[in-house]
Amino acid sequence: MKQLEEYVKSIPDFPEKGIIFRDVTSVLQDADGLHLAVDTMQDLVKDLEYDVVAGPESRGFIFGTPIAYNNHKPFVLIRKSGKLPRETIQKEYALEYGTAVIEMHKDSIQPGQKVLIVDDLIATGGTTKAMIELVEELGGQVVGIVVLIELKGLKGRDLLKGYRLDAAIQYEGK
């Protein structure tokens, strides 16, 4: 059986020279790779007690929903601004060149609920920090964050001090 890292394709010089792009679509396009990714991420947090799984569009949905399903937990969508139909709360966060806004339904997390955040990748940590702030604004407690890939060179973990972060694969570079 292949190792999880073998399913991730590394694309040099994308989107610009000197960057190695870690492509998770190659994991998703292989049934064994997808199965191994979800199982590995789920195993990393098997000791955590949580009430709700939350994840951002779009790949947080892909990895978070099966983890929620397998553990009989609800899944909460975190989306780009303007995509959710009911009353929402929003958080603006910094990108490399500008800002972005994410939101979640105001009634998606109840005070005191323990939340596991699931995503495909952590780089600088800005999106993850914004998700944590949304959960906490609603009175939830983030008990863990699990990602498929961590790009250690971008130091996203530093922004998330005090929160448990597990990564199925860690790459030293950016």
Side-chain angles (χ1 to χ4, degrees):
M1 180 182 240
K2 289 167 64 171
Q3 297 293 311
L4 185 53
E5 294 84 350
E6 295 177 70
Y7 291 99
V8 178
K9 291 202 188 299
S10 297
I11 315 298
D13 299 322
F14 183 82
E16 59 188 54
K17 191 162 181 60
I19 301 291
I20 300 175
F21 185 82
R22 308 300 180 171
D23 185 12
V24 299
T25 62
S26 54
V27 176
L28 301 173
Q29 291 171 333
D30 186 291
D32 292 334
L34 176 58
H35 194 99
L36 183 58
V38 171
D39 285 352
T40 300
M41 293 169 73
Q42 186 172 268
D43 285 347
L44 288 170
V45 295
K46 67 182 174 199
D47 63 314
L48 280 179
E49 289 186 30
Y50 55 92
D51 305 306
V52 176
V53 177
E57 68 177 285
S58 63
R59 291 177 297 256
F61 295 2
I62 293 168
F63 294 108
T65 300
I67 292 171
Y69 178 84
N70 289 341
N71 293 282
H72 199 74
K73 305 291 183 185
F75 183 78
V76 170
L77 306 175
I78 300 173
R79 300 208 60 193
K80 295 173 186 149
S81 181
K83 301 287 185 180
L84 293 171
R86 299 190 318 270
E87 187 177 1
T88 63
I89 60 168
Q90 297 184 331
K91 188 61 63 177
E92 184 174 9
Y93 63 100
L95 298 170
E96 188 175 357
Y97 301 105
T99 61
V101 177
I102 55 173
E103 65 184 11
M104 62 194 306
H105 281 129
K106 200 170 188 176
D107 63 356
S108 60
I109 304 289
Q110 302 306 308
Q113 282 188 313
K114 295 176 182 176
V115 180
L116 172 65
I117 293 176
V118 178
D119 204 357
D120 69 323
L121 180 129
I122 185 163
T124 63
T127 305
T128 305
K129 182 70 171 162
M131 289 188 286
I132 291 168
E133 291 171 358
L134 285 172
V135 168
E136 291 178 346
E137 185 177 330
L138 292 174
Q141 175 192 2
V142 175
V143 295
I145 303 150
V146 65
V147 297
L148 179 65
I149 296 172
E150 177 183 5
L151 303 177
K152 291 176 68 174
L154 293 173
K155 304 189 184 303
R157 189 176 288 270
D158 294 350
L159 188 61
L160 306 174
K161 284 194 187 319
Y163 295 94
R164 175 174 163 173
L165 171 62
D166 292 288
I169 304 168
Q170 294 181 324
Y171 291 106
E172 292 299 325
K174 300 175 181 181

